[in-house]
Structures are given as C-alpha cells and as structure tokens.
C-alpha cells in the first residue's frame, strides 16, 4: 500500500500520512473492541477484520483529504484555507462514505452467528475510527505539516505527474 501511495503522491511524507492514519484507526478500534470484549464474547477473527478494513478505509479516506489539500495548495490557497476547503469537500465525502459503510455493515448484526456479530462489530468500529481520524486528526496533522506534506519528493515520479498535468490542461 505504501508503494502505491508513493506512486500516487510522488512524495514520501504525503504517502506516509494515510498509513499513519490507518494504523492509528486500527489501534483505536482494537482498544474499543477489547473493552467491548470484556462484556461480550467476540470471535478472534475480529482482529483480522479490524486490520483489513482499517488499512483499506483508513488509507482511502486519508487519500481523499490529503489529495484535496495538496490540490488546493497548488491552486494558491494558504494552508488554513486549503484545509478548510478540503474539509468542505473531501471530508464531507469521507463522512457520508463512512456512514454508508457502517449502515451496510449493520446488516451483519442481524445474523445471529457469533462470528458475524464479531466481524460486523470490528468492521464498524474501525470504519468509525477511520472517519473520526480523517475528520479530526488529519486536518490537525496537515496544519502542522503545511507544505512539508510534499517533502522527500521522488523526482522521476514528479516528472511523470507534471507531464500528465500538462496533457490534462492541454486537452489531449
């Protein structure tokens, strides 16, 4: 996943941010799951579900916000305005996407099998954690990093991105 993010962003710091958000979401969901596990019996497969879904949605939701932030900075907005614009667009998409996923996963709670309830619980918790991290922690992190988000650029990938942007503007 990190390799693909490096290809997408062309910078190591920008690629590292979604991975950090995903890992933090996983840790938070595991903590909440362990608390729930004190009162209810959960299948050990819940850890697998949290890890799998946490990486998927944590990276995906962060990718939306970081991409939008970088795009707004390239348009000339200052750091705070770019974060605000990212919040008004990408963060709203993240919120509704996350709630849609949670709503879909609630259907798994209908099946009375313990494994389905465990998997649904883990998936719902990690999606909620990912949304929460993308809407709160990520803007704070972008505020701290500012233009350092583009630090440690990969020159070969940056040239390919620049050529793509030129052809896109040229209408080809």
């Amino acid at each position: 996943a990190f390799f693909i993010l490096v290809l997408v962003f062309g910078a190591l710091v920008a690629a590292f941010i979604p991975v950090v958000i995903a890992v933090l979401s996983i840790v938070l969901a595991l903590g909440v799951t362990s608390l729930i596990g004190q009162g209810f019996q959960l299948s050990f497969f819940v850890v697998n579900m949290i890890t799998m879904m946490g990486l998927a949605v944590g990276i995906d939701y962060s990718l939306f916000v970081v991409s939008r932030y970088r795009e707004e900075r390239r348009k000339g907005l200052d750091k705070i305005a770019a974060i605000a614009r990212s919040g008004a667009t990408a963060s709203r998409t993240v919120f509704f996407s996350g709630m849609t996923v949670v709503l879909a996963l609630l259907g798994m709670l209908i099946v009375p099998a313990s494994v389905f309830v465990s998997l649904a619980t883990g998936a719902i918790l990690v999606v909620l954690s990912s949304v929460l991290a993308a809407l709160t922690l990520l803007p704070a992190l972008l505020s701290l990093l500012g233009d350092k988000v583009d630090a440690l650029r990969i020159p070969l990938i940056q040239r390919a991105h620049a050529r793509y942007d030129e052809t896109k503007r040229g209408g080809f």
Side-chain angles (χ1 to χ4, degrees), residues 2-165:
F2 182 71
F3 178 73
I4 291 170
L5 288 168
V6 169
L7 290 176
V8 168
F9 287 125
L12 294 176
V13 173
F16 192 64
I17 292 171
V19 175
V20 167
I21 296 296
V23 169
L24 291 174
S25 299
I26 291 168
V27 169
L28 178 61
L30 285 171
V32 174
T33 301
S34 69
L35 291 175
I36 291 172
Q38 297 298 314
F40 301 96
Q41 184 176 357
L42 296 174
S43 168
F44 65 92
F45 290 120
V46 72
V47 175
N48 297 34
M49 178 60 87
I50 288 173
T51 305
M52 176 183 62
M53 289 290 290
L55 284 173
V57 297
I59 288 172
D60 188 40
Y61 294 163
S62 299
L63 179 68
F64 285 142
V65 177
V66 172
S67 293
R68 175 59 67 158
Y69 171 77
R70 292 173 77 216
E71 184 179 303
E72 297 301 334
R73 290 293 286 150
R74 281 194 295 271
K75 289 180 181 176
L77 292 178
D78 70 334
K79 178 174 64 173
I80 301 302
I83 291 170
R85 179 79 54 93
S86 299
T89 55
S91 293
R92 186 174 12 177
T93 302
V94 165
F95 175 77
F96 285 111
S97 174
M99 295 309 104
T100 303
V101 172
V102 168
L103 187 62
L105 289 168
L106 286 172
M108 289 180 67
L109 294 174
I110 296 170
V111 180
S114 173
V115 71
F116 282 106
V117 171
S118 298
L119 293 175
T121 301
I124 289 168
L125 289 173
V126 80
V127 169
L128 290 174
S129 297
S130 296
V131 169
L132 186 64
L135 298 181
T136 59
L137 180 61
L138 186 54
L141 188 58
L142 291 173
S143 177
L144 289 173
L145 289 173
D147 289 334
K148 293 177 187 166
V149 165
D150 288 325
L152 302 175
R153 291 182 174 199
I154 312 292
L156 182 63
I157 297 172
Q158 287 296 319
R159 282 193 294 268
H161 284 221
R163 273 187 255 126
Y164 174 76
D165 287 342

